[in-house]
Amino acid sequence: TKAPAAASGGFIESLETAVTNIVISVFFQHDHTKGAYIKPHIDAWRNSSNGEDNVSKWYIDGIMPRRDGESNEPMKSIPGMPYHWISIVTLRGSPQETPIEIGKKLAASFSAFSTPEFESKTFQFRGDSSSTPPLSLNNYLLDRDCIMYLKKIYFGVSKEDIMQDDETLAEFFGSPKEGKRVLSGVSDAEWERKMWYD
């Protein structure tokens, strides 16, 4: 089989972040400059009934826009087009679970997916693209999505306590100073509002 046919849908890379629980995965086309077309997969995941079909077992906790550098703006999947390049967020099942294991599971799940309107395409796992040491979460996700995961992982902890925790702020926002800047824009009422589904 020729290489392109082996990855007709595209490739996936997964990486560790400074937030130990969170692994980010990105799907891309062959030349690495454009996002892969995964809209049917995203729609199926968003519409899946919790636990009642294969889609809900895809090892995805969230689907978020990929951050475009320091701009805190979504990266475009195709330059000049309005489509966001997507990051897949997975919460590790255990600390031993590697980005390689997670990426391979996602590639297999996305490759197996088809609908009457969408013929299955093969996605190939390209590798673990983690930095050493792993980078803060805000290198990959927008500030609002970092806040959502901060709240989710530290559910029940007050904003004031988090703002005193330099290590946690650095894991999510790169530095305590940047973390305090971002969180100072979040009201107490907003902090206490749950922004996700269990």
Side-chain angles (χ1 to χ4, degrees):
T1 318
K2 292 195 209 74
S8 56
F11 297 93
I12 177 173
E13 286 181 354
S14 300
L15 55 88
E16 291 187 280
T17 69
V19 182
T20 312
N21 310 39
I22 294 180
V23 170
I24 300 282
S25 301
V26 174
F27 286 85
F28 54 91
Q29 295 178 19
H30 301 278
D31 62 358
H32 221 287
T33 61
K34 299 184 190 80
Y37 178 69
I38 56 172
K39 185 178 184 305
H41 304 79
I42 292 168
D43 291 346
W45 181 80
R46 288 194 169 133
N47 297 326
S48 69
S49 46
N50 201 13
E52 291 186 19
D53 51 30
N54 287 332
V55 175
S56 62
K57 300 179 178 74
W58 273 1
Y59 235 64
I60 297 173
D61 185 75
I63 294 176
M64 311 285 177
R66 201 176 166 197
R67 187 184 185 117
D68 194 357
E70 292 181 17
S71 70
N72 195 31
E73 294 292 330
M75 189 181 285
K76 298 284 189 271
S77 180
I78 300 169
M81 298 293 281
Y83 312 113
H84 293 165
W85 197 332
I86 293 299
S87 291
I88 305 284
V89 182
T90 299
L91 294 179
R92 280 181 156 142
S94 74
Q96 290 73 40
E97 199 165 37
T98 67
I100 292 171
E101 291 171 288
I102 289 168
K104 285 182 173 175
K105 284 178 186 174
L106 284 170
S109 297
F110 275 52
S111 297
F113 174 76
S114 66
T115 69
E117 301 80 37
F118 179 78
E119 191 179 325
S120 66
K121 296 195 176 303
T122 305
F123 291 88
Q124 230 174 51
F125 179 66
R126 175 68 70 80
D128 178 344
S129 55
S130 304
S131 298
T132 308
L135 301 177
S136 58
L137 192 61
N138 70 337
N139 278 274
Y140 309 106
L141 301 183
L142 303 178
D143 287 347
R144 64 163 197 237
D145 296 326
C146 293
I147 292 166
M148 195 274 284
Y149 273 102
L150 180 63
K151 287 168 56 168
K152 187 169 188 173
I153 289 170
Y154 292 98
F155 184 62
V157 179
S158 74
K159 188 179 87 167
E160 285 63 36
D161 285 349
I162 294 285
M163 287 179 83
Q164 302 307 313
D165 186 340
D166 286 358
E167 188 178 343
T168 297
L169 292 174
E171 288 170 358
F172 280 83
F173 300 105
S175 71
K177 183 180 175 186
E178 178 62 8
K180 286 173 182 155
R181 185 194 70 75
V182 172
L183 290 182
S184 65
V186 179
S187 71
D188 290 343
E190 206 179 329
W191 178 261
E192 284 163 22
R193 196 181 309 130
K194 196 170 151 187
M195 299 158 66
W196 65 89
Y197 304 101
D198 289 325

